[in-house]
């Protein structure tokens, strides 16, 4: 789904850049309400995990592959505003370091892959959670459906951009049919990855899942052969339960293994957009990437001849860069919230 330079004309690319900038600015403000002592340390990790899993293209029909977009996963784990920022950080790293997704098309990619997927998936997720029983299983099922729908929604988003600013004269009906058809299949993979990840985190630390807040199941006790809800625990939560270090370390190691080793076995088939673009002629005016001479272009390290080592090193570097940039961004946002809360408390105390 990464749109390269040349697919969309400059006026529409510029307009989408303004939309993306506005969405990121609004998300920076909104993320202050979402990031707390639990989610702030994990937001950068979520971005790095999405980067790693996006390297794992999986095969779909007719010689086409797909990969995670990540909007639904990020929104459910750390909140919709923070989720938009997570995916935006990933797209920025991919465009600058790895020549993946055009720089003039960065606004298109952020609007489509970060904003559309996150807004659509989280709105659907919240609606389903309200309709279904308030259980952890309902969160997992809702995350599956939300992620599934988010991918064809992004395909529709690209089709809209192409309709108003495509640089080649291709009937929009063909673009719509091709994009939505293949991305419905890719959405199944997205849904499976999202549900498995959300389910795994809920199983060990449900308090760290933004979308599951308020849904924690009470402890059950067996009394006279029947299960009853135990009385809620009183007093402060133990420090071990509050700590996110173990989850953070486990997530980082997982991302490094996926990007540094498992990515070598990813499908080499073109992804959904590349396949449709080649089949329909959308790519006739593709322009060279502005960072095509980057030492990490195409997810390999220049001058490293062994493909396995080259790709693995590039993946590890990408995970490290993404977690560093993402953590820095969310640390600043969290500090601004803390400063604002302190100022409010001080003002209230002086009244």
């Amino acid at each position: 789904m990464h749109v390269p330079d040349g697919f969309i004309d400059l006026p529409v690319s510029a307009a989408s850049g303004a939309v993306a900038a506005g969405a990121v600015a609004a998300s920076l403000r909104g993320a202050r309400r979402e990031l707390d002592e639990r989610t702030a340390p994990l937001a950068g990790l979520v971005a790095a995990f999405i980067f790693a899993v996006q390297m794992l293209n999986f095969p779909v029909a007719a010689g086409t592959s797909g990969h995670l977009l990540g909007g639904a996963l990020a929104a459910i784990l750390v909140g919709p505003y923070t989720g938009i920022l997570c995916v935006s950080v990933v797209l920025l790293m991919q465009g600058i370091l790895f020549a993946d997704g055009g720089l003039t098309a960065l606004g298109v990619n952020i609007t489509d892959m970060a904003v559309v997927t996150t807004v659509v998936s989280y709105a659907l997720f919240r609606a389903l959670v309200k309709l279904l029983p308030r259980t952890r299983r309902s969160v997992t099922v809702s995350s599956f459906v939300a992620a599934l729908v988010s991918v064809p929604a992004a395909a529709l988003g690209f089709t809209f951009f192409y309709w108003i600013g495509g640089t080649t004269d291709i009937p929009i009906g063909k673009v719509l049919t091709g994009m939505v058809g293949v991305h419905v299949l890719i959405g199944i993979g997205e849904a499976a990855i999202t549900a498995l990840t959300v389910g795994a985190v809920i199983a060990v630390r449900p308090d760290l899942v933004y979308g599951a807040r308020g849904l924690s199941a009470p402890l059950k006790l067996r009394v006279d052969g029947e299960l009853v809800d135990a009385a809620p625990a009183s007093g402060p939560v133990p420090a071990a339960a509050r700590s996110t270090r173990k989850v953070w370390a486990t997530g980082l190691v997982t991302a490094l293994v996926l990007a540094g080793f498992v990515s070598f076995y990813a499908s080499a088939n073109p992804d959904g957009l590349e396949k449709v673009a080649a089949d329909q002629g959308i790519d006739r005016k593709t322009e060279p990437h502005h960072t095509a001479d980057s030492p990490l272009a195409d997810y390999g390290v220049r001058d490293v001849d062994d493909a396995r080592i080259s790709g693995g090193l590039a993946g590890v570097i990408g995970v490290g860069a993404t977690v560093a940039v993402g953590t820095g961004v969310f640390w600043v946002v969290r500090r601004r919230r803390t400063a604002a809360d302190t100022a409010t408390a001080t003002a209230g105390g002086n009244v």
Side-chain angles (χ1 to χ4, degrees):
M1 190 70 75
H2 293 77
V3 179
D5 295 320
F7 277 24
I8 308 297
D9 63 28
L10 288 179
V12 173
S13 295
S16 65
V19 171
V24 169
S27 298
L28 286 169
R29 293 192 296 271
R32 296 182 199 174
R33 300 190 297 270
E34 296 172 347
L35 293 172
D36 54 25
E37 66 279 358
R38 293 175 296 175
T39 55
L42 296 177
L45 176 63
V46 169
F49 183 79
I50 290 173
F51 173 89
V53 180
Q54 282 197 5
M55 294 183 66
L56 308 181
N57 282 47
F58 49 85
V60 293
T64 310
S65 71
H67 62 71
L68 182 79
L69 297 184
L73 177 61
I76 295 166
L77 289 180
V78 292
Y81 291 109
T82 308
I84 289 175
L85 296 178
C86 284
V87 181
S88 297
V89 168
V90 173
L91 294 171
L92 186 64
M93 293 295 99
Q94 290 170 332
I96 294 176
L97 297 180
F98 298 94
D100 188 10
L103 295 186
T104 62
L106 185 59
V108 173
N109 286 321
I110 289 177
T111 302
D112 198 27
M113 294 178 64
V115 179
V116 170
T117 59
T118 301
V119 171
V120 170
S121 63
Y122 197 72
L124 179 57
F125 172 81
R126 294 308 307 173
L128 291 172
V129 166
K130 290 180 180 180
L131 292 173
L132 296 174
R134 295 176 61 82
T135 64
R136 298 176 188 177
R137 180 173 297 178
S138 295
V139 174
T140 304
V141 171
S142 299
S143 68
F144 182 95
V145 177
L148 173 63
V149 173
S150 71
V151 179
L156 285 172
F158 169 80
T159 304
F160 174 74
F161 280 120
Y162 183 81
W163 177 51
I164 61 176
T167 56
T168 53
D169 187 17
I170 308 298
I172 194 63
K174 291 185 176 180
V175 177
L176 176 64
T177 302
M179 287 294 294
V180 174
V182 71
H183 284 91
V184 167
L185 299 177
I186 295 172
I188 298 173
E190 176 102 11
I193 295 170
T194 300
L196 287 172
T197 304
V198 171
V201 179
I202 286 180
V204 295
R205 288 293 300 273
D207 59 305
L208 297 182
V209 179
Y210 184 90
R213 292 184 177 181
L215 300 178
S216 298
L219 178 67
K220 297 288 186 179
L221 296 179
R222 187 172 294 278
V223 178
D224 296 331
E226 296 183 359
L227 289 176
V228 298
D229 292 344
S234 59
V237 180
R242 296 196 306 265
S243 175
T244 61
R245 292 180 181 177
K246 184 178 293 187
V247 175
W248 197 92
T250 301
L252 181 60
V253 170
T254 301
L256 290 170
V257 170
L258 292 175
F261 176 74
V262 181
S263 62
F264 180 77
Y265 301 98
S267 173
N269 291 333
D271 66 23
L273 176 58
E274 291 172 334
K275 178 66 173 176
V276 173
D279 289 347
Q280 302 295 341
I282 297 173
D283 60 355
R284 288 200 297 262
K285 295 186 178 180
T286 303
E287 299 174 2
H289 200 283
H290 292 83
T291 62
D293 58 350
S294 165
L296 298 173
D298 296 324
Y299 298 94
V301 178
R302 184 188 299 168
D303 298 328
V304 176
D305 296 329
D306 187 289
R308 186 191 301 267
I309 296 176
S310 178
L313 285 175
V316 168
I317 292 170
V319 168
T322 303
V323 76
V325 172
T327 300
V329 169
F330 298 120
W331 180 79
V332 170
V333 173
R334 173 61 181 159
R335 282 201 63 183
R336 294 188 66 178
R337 171 181 171 173
T338 302
D341 290 345
T342 302
T344 301
T346 301
N350 292 333
V351 174

